[in-house]
Amino acid sequence: SAVISQKPSRDICQRGTSLTIQCQVDSQVTMMFWYRQQPGQSLTLIATANQGSEATYESGFVIDKFPISRPNLTFSTLTVSNMSPEDSSIYLCSVVPSSSYEQYFGPGTRLTVT
Amino acid sequence: GQQVMQIPQYQHVQEGEDFTTYCNSSTTLSNIQWYKQRPGGHPVFLIQLVKSGEVKKQKRLTFQFGEAKKNSSLHITATQTTDVGTYFCADSNQAGTALIFGKGTTLSVSS
């Protein structure tokens, strides 16, 4: 299993600013991902955070808007840049421990952009 | 990976009634996972199905994987208020690493 914490848990931001979300895991994991979940909607995969190399982004998501860092096997950050109200969402990180196939999710960061 | 379609989007039942959600794909799935998300919570893994025709049970929950591996279902017998939440099926992305989630079925239960 894996225990994941995220900071901040929620934030209200002004449009045009940027917010960096942190994800910390209690064990080393190879696979780490960032998802977005808009209110009442499903989860959308933003990117795979690769340790030591650039993140792999899904269609519709770009590095300039969502830069990701993965300095080691227990930590990652997602930055939401130049925010607009459309970025209001819950952002979740998730991991797959090496010995498992199930994904574990963090508690999420609820972002509101005004 | 490809988008899996889930139906229904919403389901309301009386406590004690049964509930089923369906997940369909136009292409063959290598495997499928099911997650439950309680209101205000994050998704929690329920099960993974891999084999054609596979049936797995967890107490009142029964999971099935179709013979052609293009569909799956989750059936809850005699629902309880603790079953409330959104149930998602999920398929692997093209890299075979992350999950692509269906739109989910939100279950509400009245006592």
Side-chain angles (χ1 to χ4, degrees), chain A residues 31 33 35 37 40-43 45 48 58 92 96 101-108 110, chain B residues 10 33 35 37 40-45 48 56 88 93 97-104:
Chain A
M31 310 302 294
F33 311 98
Y35 286 84
Q37 186 174 31
Q41 303 296 313
S42 183
L43 293 89
L45 178 65
T48 300
E58 297 297 304
L92 302 107
V96 179
Y101 46 74
E102 59 184 271
Q103 282 202 3
Y104 292 86
F105 285 84
R110 183 180 294 272
Chain B
Y10 301 100
Q33 295 188 7
Y35 289 76
Q37 184 175 26
H42 57 272
V44 174
F45 174 82
Q48 175 171 279
K56 288 188 176 180
F88 294 98
N93 68 345
T97 53
L99 293 175
I100 305 298
F101 284 78
K103 292 190 181 301

Side-chain angles (χ1 to χ4, degrees), chain B residues 52-110:
Chain B
S52 167
E54 189 169 17
V55 178
K56 288 188 176 180
K57 293 190 176 184
Q58 292 178 352
K59 297 182 180 178
R60 294 178 294 104
L61 277 61
T62 302
F63 303 84
Q64 293 190 350
F65 204 7
E67 292 291 340
K69 299 181 71 173
K70 290 186 177 182
N71 57 76
S72 181
S73 65
L74 158 59
H75 180 81
I76 303 178
T77 303
T79 54
Q80 300 175 359
T81 55
T82 54
D83 296 324
V84 164
T86 301
Y87 293 85
F88 294 98
C89 61
D91 176 31
S92 300
N93 68 345
Q94 288 202 352
T97 53
L99 293 175
I100 305 298
F101 284 78
K103 292 190 181 301
T105 296
T106 298
L107 172 65
S108 59
V109 180
S110 55

Side-chain angles (χ1 to χ4, degrees), chain A residues 2-77:
Chain A
V3 178
I4 305 168
S5 59
Q6 283 186 234
K7 289 181 183 179
S9 58
R10 58 177 63 227
D11 207 342
I12 301 173
C13 301
Q14 299 281 339
R15 70 171 67 208
T17 63
S18 297
L19 176 72
T20 295
I21 302 167
Q22 299 180 5
C23 177
Q24 180 74 52
V25 191
D26 68 340
S27 58
Q28 293 189 340
V29 292
T30 304
M31 310 302 294
M32 184 178 282
F33 311 98
W34 287 97
Y35 286 84
R36 181 172 73 183
Q37 186 174 31
Q38 294 176 317
Q41 303 296 313
S42 183
L43 293 89
T44 301
L45 178 65
I46 297 172
T48 300
N50 301 308
Q51 194 268 329
S53 63
E54 197 171 281
T56 304
Y57 290 85
E58 297 297 304
S59 175
F61 297 95
V62 295
I63 188 172
D64 290 346
K65 176 68 176 178
F66 298 100
I68 289 170
S69 79
R70 180 89 192 270
N72 56 54
L73 293 177
T74 63
F75 185 80
S76 178
T77 67

